Amino acid sequence: MKALLCYNQNEFKLEEIDRPGILKDEMLIEMIYTGLCGSDIVKIFDPAVKKPAVFGHEVVGRVVEAGKNITRFKSGDVVVAAHHIPCYRCHYCLHGNHSMCRRFKETNIYPGSFCQYIRLSKEHIRYTTFKIPPDSNLLEALFIEPLACCIRAVDRVTFRKDDVFSVVGTGIIGMLFIQLIKLSGGRVVAIDLDNNRLSMARFLGAAYTINPSNQNVVQEIKDITDIGVDIAILSVTNKYTLNDALLYLRDGGTVNIFGASGKESRFGIDFESVYKRELTIMSSYSATPETLRRAYDIIASRKINLSPLISEIMPLSDFKKGLDLMLKRKIYKAIFKL
Ligand SMILES: [Zn+2]
Ligand SMILES: [Zn+2]
């Protein structure tokens, strides 16, 4: 079968590799669509991640072979699947830190979604695989995993109805956050350097927008909220976005770090202010089977608008083009059709 091997950030090759075999508790899925996630981009650029490798974890595909012990799915079913599964028994899981579970980190679809066929294990089938009804929009199903990550991030912060959130960065994740927070009863100030994206943010439900390239974020937020925002969600994390957030949070507010900060992850922050103003700095990483289920329901019931976030659909041979378009912020998400 064909698979996209990443050798480094500039070199991707479609190569022939063995199609995975399956055991009686497993399934073979023929990929239909896969999306490029920000976390794949982090892995592509991280020299510490072993290469060549097949990346990708957003799966919409068709069951082509179901092991004889599989009863919930049959050949021909169209499914969406996600890659990590917690054990639900370890110290991390019992404390709600499911994405820190060692089993969570080890589990993955094989070999990765950027190829023609993948294998789903017994645990994947049990916890993170959902059948898609025949009349569904298959492209929208690709957003279940990223939305599930956002749902977990919103679950992890405490807020009341009408509380104000800042959403920093209006890429795909920011746009999902804006709609999800609105759905959860919060109001959103969207912050981004790109005016086109800010208009889209308003269209999708942001109550206010700020462009730091020509507006003073801290002052604007003071004008909007008086006391500052209750929660800041950083889908872009760097010294500017974090330090700004610490300035414009209300006393007792929370900043939730959602986006990776990459190489520039060491910088100073004003701990005296964190202490005296009782600020909370926390993070949220990945999704759980429960948030995947909820994301599935939100998308199936069309509670959020995904169509403006879907543009070009490319063949996997155009992977580099898709990556470049996403890095240059020309498209929200690179989507590949197998
Ligand atoms: Zn992802
Ligand atoms: Zn665990």
Side-chain angles (χ1 to χ4, degrees), residues 6-9 42-53 55:
C6 168
Y7 284 82
N8 59 54
Q9 69 247 44
V42 170
K43 286 180 195 148
I44 288 168
F45 280 85
D46 185 351
V49 174
K50 213 176 129 224
K51 301 188 183 67
F55 295 124

Side-chain angles (χ1 to χ4, degrees), residues 86-90 92-93 101-102:
C87 77
Y88 293 106
R89 288 189 302 270
C90 71
Y92 304 103
C93 284
C101 167
R102 296 310 182 250

Side-chain angles (χ1 to χ4, degrees), residues 37 39 57-58 145:
C37 170
S39 69
H57 58 264
E58 293 176 353
E145 195 268 339

Side-chain angles (χ1 to χ4, degrees), residues 315-332:
L316 205 49
S317 51
D318 279 349
F319 185 84
K320 182 79 171 74
K321 178 183 154 196
L323 173 65
D324 289 341
L325 287 171
M326 220 167 134
L327 288 173
K328 288 184 187 136
R329 305 191 91 201
K330 297 242 164 68
I331 55 173
Y332 287 101

Side-chain angles (χ1 to χ4, degrees), residues 134-320:
D135 56 341
S136 316
N137 181 333
L138 297 189
L139 287 170
E140 294 197 354
L142 276 180
F143 291 79
I144 291 173
E145 195 268 339
L147 180 64
C149 298
C150 300
I151 291 176
R152 187 159 182 278
V154 173
D155 280 356
R156 281 169 63 73
V157 295
T158 310
F159 65 97
R160 297 163 66 98
K161 194 174 172 301
D162 292 330
D163 273 0
V164 181
F165 286 66
S166 69
V167 169
V168 182
T170 54
I172 196 81
I173 290 295
M175 298 303 191
L176 294 178
F177 268 125
I178 290 166
Q179 300 188 71
L180 182 65
I181 291 164
K182 204 176 164 207
L183 213 55
S184 317
R187 288 180 294 150
V188 176
V189 183
I191 303 175
D192 200 289
L193 297 166
D194 180 333
N195 283 332
N196 292 327
R197 291 213 163 181
L198 289 177
S199 345
M200 181 58 78
R202 265 192 300 276
F203 175 72
L204 293 177
Y208 314 93
T209 55
I210 302 174
N211 186 334
S213 62
N214 53 34
Q215 288 174 291
N216 180 321
V217 181
V218 178
Q219 189 53 51
E220 293 291 327
I221 291 207
K222 279 241 145 54
D223 293 346
I224 296 167
T225 63
D226 257 348
I227 58 170
V229 306
D230 297 286
I231 316 278
I233 301 229
L234 306 188
S235 82
V236 176
T237 308
N238 57 44
K239 64 180 168 194
Y240 306 106
T241 61
L242 180 58
N243 278 311
D244 272 1
L246 295 177
L247 289 172
Y248 66 62
L249 277 178
R250 69 160 166 85
D251 292 349
T254 299
V255 55
N256 189 344
I257 295 170
F258 185 91
S261 52
K263 272 182 286 184
E264 264 136 65
S265 63
R266 286 164 189 261
F267 45 81
I269 60 172
D270 180 359
F271 272 104
E272 188 63 10
S273 154
V274 170
Y275 163 61
K276 284 197 174 140
R277 298 178 52 226
E278 218 175 49
L279 303 177
T280 301
I281 302 175
M282 46 110 52
S283 76
S284 183
Y285 181 84
S286 203
T288 63
E290 288 66 39
T291 60
L292 284 165
R293 162 60 65 188
R294 281 158 60 199
Y296 175 92
D297 290 341
I298 289 176
I299 290 178
S301 54
R302 312 223 138 218
K303 287 191 181 136
I304 62 172
N305 186 358
L306 297 170
S307 52
L309 309 178
I310 298 170
S311 49
E312 254 180 290
I313 317 296
M314 291 162 266
L316 205 49
S317 51
D318 279 349
F319 185 84
K320 182 79 171 74

